[in-house]
Amino acid sequence: MPLEIVRNDITKMSVDAIVNAANTTLLGGGGVDGAIHRAAGPQLLEECRTLHGCRTGEAKITRGYRLPCKYVIHTAGPIWQDGHHGEHELLTACYKNSLELADKYHCESVAFPLISSGVYGYPKAQALKVAMDTITQFLLDHDMTVYIVVFSKDAFEVSSKLFKDIEAYIDDVYVDEHLSAPSESMRMRLQRRYLEKAKATEAEPEECCAPSMASDARLDDMLSQVDESFAQMLIRKIDEKHMTDAQCYKRANVDRRLFNKIKNIPDYKPSKQTALAFAIALELSLNETKDMLMKAGFALSHSSKADIVVEYCIMTGNYDIMEINQILFKLDLQPLGY
Ligand code: ADP
């Protein structure tokens, strides 16, 4: 997935480059900077000394040494004052310059911490928005997988009203579904009945089950009427919505290579997260979404909280995949895309 939010320690990320929220001296500090230097070992500081600092908003690159990444990109974030001292522009520049540097060094995967959101005091939710906006913009013309690594879920900007509405909706449909589900004893009874029936069928003479020429023909007939495939529906919908392929897979937060695989391998079945991501990118109605999912062999279920979140967003016309993914992340559910 081109942009993914993960909860992790950035020093553990196996990517081509991790970004360090450094200070302008590049000579080490606390927070994420300290953690990166500790994990990389003293050679990182030695190389940093040769760089002669880094101005706020700029980015410089070193090797990763003992870290599992090839490179560390050091950028100095702005110190938050009141939001009227160019903080937004400077923070945007940190992400932009770091991504451009990563691209120059042919990095295919990059992990960012939430720059400036610790000791430098940038409000976490705003810092996350700058990160997401700048990275999403960059990914419109670049193939790269970018991770935003967060330590805590406090950074999530999902408005509390939206979050409460979704939680209430989950409570309604999820709890209903579970209350109306058959009780355990009922399920056992149904299963017993099924097993008895299966046993009785087994005892029947064999020729009853042997396929006849007539049923062969019927099967051939049915096979010749196979429905439109997932890929065919996807391409048809892209055309109907007057989108380009790239607009669609970028809006779906889906990797170009995966999109091409889906498009070119006729029977390729994407994951449920991918199928749903396309439905969101194409702004399909709930019925169209169900149709598209069915073509990939899935259904929307009220037994799945993630499905309920997506259903709620579609019903309320919220087709912003980044916002949907933030909600899913906050609820510890798998994001859409891939
Ligand atoms: P800044 O000085 O730019 O604010 P900090 O290091 O104080 O930098 O914090 C930046 C962000 O990094 C904070 O949100 C903090 O919670 C987070 N953070 C700290 N250590 C790690 C780590 N090991 N991995 C990922 N994020 C981290």
Side-chain angles (χ1 to χ4, degrees):
M1 183 156 41
L3 172 57
E4 199 175 336
I5 305 165
V6 294
R7 200 144 25 119
N8 202 348
D9 173 347
I10 201 162
T11 63
K12 305 278 190 297
M13 296 291 292
S14 294
V15 283
D16 291 333
I18 63 168
V19 176
N20 180 15
N23 56 41
T24 51
T25 67
L26 296 188
L27 298 180
V32 74
D33 194 5
I36 289 174
H37 275 277
R38 272 193 302 281
Q43 283 171 300
L44 179 62
L45 184 59
E46 273 173 42
E47 188 176 349
C48 280
R49 283 189 212 286
T50 67
L51 299 177
H52 309 294
C54 173
R55 276 186 299 200
T56 305
E58 288 184 355
K60 296 203 172 168
I61 195 162
T62 62
R63 285 195 282 152
Y65 300 99
R66 287 191 218 141
L67 288 161
C69 56
K70 242 187 285 177
Y71 302 108
V72 180
I73 294 172
H74 307 261
T75 184
I79 298 172
W80 177 265
Q81 297 181 52
D82 52 8
H84 300 294
H85 288 78
E87 293 93 330
H88 182 278
E89 292 71 21
L90 288 167
L91 190 56
T92 303
C94 287
Y95 285 98
K96 209 161 164 281
N97 289 327
S98 301
L99 287 164
E100 274 164 12
L101 201 49
D103 189 44
K104 191 168 153 197
Y105 280 76
H106 309 290
C107 296
E108 289 182 357
S109 52
V110 181
F112 281 92
L114 270 187
I115 301 165
S116 285
S117 74
V119 176
Y120 282 4
Y122 210 107
K124 275 195 162 53
Q126 290 184 48
L128 177 66
K129 180 152 172 45
V130 175
M132 295 201 34
D133 288 350
T134 317
I135 296 167
T136 309
Q137 191 60 35
F138 179 85
L139 289 176
L140 290 178
D141 333 293
H142 297 84
D143 281 330
M144 200 184 269
T145 300
V146 180
Y147 299 92
I148 298 178
V149 183
V150 294
F151 249 18
S152 76
K153 287 196 217 167
D154 313 343
F156 289 91
E157 208 195 1
V158 182
S159 86
S160 53
K161 158 103 177 68
L162 174 62
F163 199 67
K164 277 203 188 89
D165 287 350
I166 288 184
E167 280 191 318
Y169 187 68
I170 290 178
D171 273 356
D172 279 356
V173 289
Y174 191 71
V175 170
D176 267 5
E177 173 78 13
H178 286 76
L179 284 180
S180 58
S183 67
E184 195 53 26
S185 64
M186 165 89 91
R187 218 175 296 142
M188 299 280 283
R189 257 202 321 277
L190 286 173
Q191 195 172 7
R192 223 175 11 248
R193 212 178 302 157
Y194 169 76
L195 287 174
E196 280 164 7
K197 214 169 154 196
K199 225 166 162 188
T201 319
E202 246 173 46
E204 282 177 17
E206 228 179 273
E207 57 266 32
C208 293
C209 308
S212 67
M213 297 280 278
S215 67
D216 269 0
R218 243 188 348 259
L219 179 62
D220 284 347
D221 196 29
M222 284 168 82
L223 286 173
S224 69
Q225 295 169 24
V226 173
D227 267 359
E228 183 187 41
S229 70
F230 178 84
Q232 285 165 335
M233 179 172 180
L234 177 63
I235 293 160
R236 174 170 63 82
K237 284 287 171 196
I238 292 174
D239 280 351
E240 282 174 18
K241 302 272 171 175
H242 306 293
M243 281 176 136
T244 63
D245 288 357
Q247 279 167 340
C248 177
Y249 66 72
K250 287 190 191 249
R251 280 195 65 178
N253 198 28
V254 167
D255 188 78
R256 177 179 52 84
R257 284 159 291 196
L258 175 56
F259 178 83
N260 285 335
K261 216 190 252 176
I262 295 171
K263 204 173 157 185
N264 299 321
I265 305 177
D267 288 331
Y268 186 86
K269 294 262 189 280
S271 71
K272 188 170 178 180
Q273 262 60 32
T274 307
L276 278 174
F278 281 121
I280 296 294
L282 290 161
E283 303 197 356
L284 300 188
S285 67
L286 196 55
N287 280 338
E288 290 171 318
T289 302
K290 287 178 180 168
D291 201 20
M292 183 169 245
L293 270 186
M294 207 154 66
K295 294 188 184 300
F298 302 108
L300 270 185
S301 158
H302 281 179
S303 298
S304 149
K305 286 189 186 179
D307 287 9
I308 296 169
V309 170
V310 176
E311 180 176 301
Y312 180 88
C313 291
I314 292 175
M315 285 187 339
T316 53
N318 181 352
Y319 290 101
D320 179 343
I321 198 152
M322 291 303 163
E323 184 161 280
I324 298 173
N325 278 347
Q326 285 183 49
I327 298 165
L328 292 170
F329 183 89
K330 203 162 171 175
L331 289 165
D332 281 325
L333 301 168
Q334 218 187 330
L336 306 185
Y338 278 92

